[in-house]
Amino acid sequence: GKAVIASEVDGTKEIVKSGYNGIMIPVTELETRLHNEILELCHNDLKRKEFGANAIQTVKDKFTASEMTRHIERVYFQLTNSKHLN
């Protein structure tokens, strides 16, 4: 339930949606933007609370046990089918 400031590295793009549940900063812009983005969230209670609430909703929508199971099933299915093709 916290607002997140993240850099665009593996895994974060699937979770953090910039302007919805946090702020995504390209790695090449971290030095120039990180300070200002931290201050923005510190001074903007409404945005911080909105991002936090949206973060909770993102986890509820995307990371339920059934959704994670379906994702793992798809990965296993792709792996087993690719082995049969070789």
Side-chain angles (χ1 to χ4, degrees):
K2 303 292 183 193
V4 174
I5 300 173
S7 59
E8 292 180 339
V9 295
D10 290 342
T12 58
K13 291 184 273 189
E14 290 77 25
I15 300 170
V16 178
K17 303 298 177 205
S18 200
Y20 174 71
N21 61 6
I23 298 168
M24 185 70 72
I25 303 174
V27 174
T28 57
E29 297 177 19
L30 277 174
E31 281 189 44
T32 58
R33 288 187 51 198
L34 185 58
H35 178 262
N36 290 334
E37 299 294 359
I38 291 171
L39 289 177
E40 170 67 20
L41 286 181
C42 285
H43 297 297
N44 191 331
D45 289 341
L46 182 62
K47 182 184 278 189
R48 195 172 59 249
K49 289 176 184 176
E50 181 180 329
F51 284 178
N54 291 341
I56 290 171
Q57 193 60 49
T58 299
V59 171
K60 285 181 179 179
D61 291 344
K62 290 187 163 192
F63 299 98
T64 63
S66 62
E67 182 58 35
M68 295 305 295
T69 301
R70 281 192 290 278
H71 176 73
I72 292 167
E73 286 175 338
R74 285 190 296 271
V75 170
Y76 284 152
F77 181 77
Q78 290 170 349
L79 289 172
T80 57
N81 283 338
S82 67
K83 288 182 181 181
H84 291 293
L85 296 175
N86 291 331

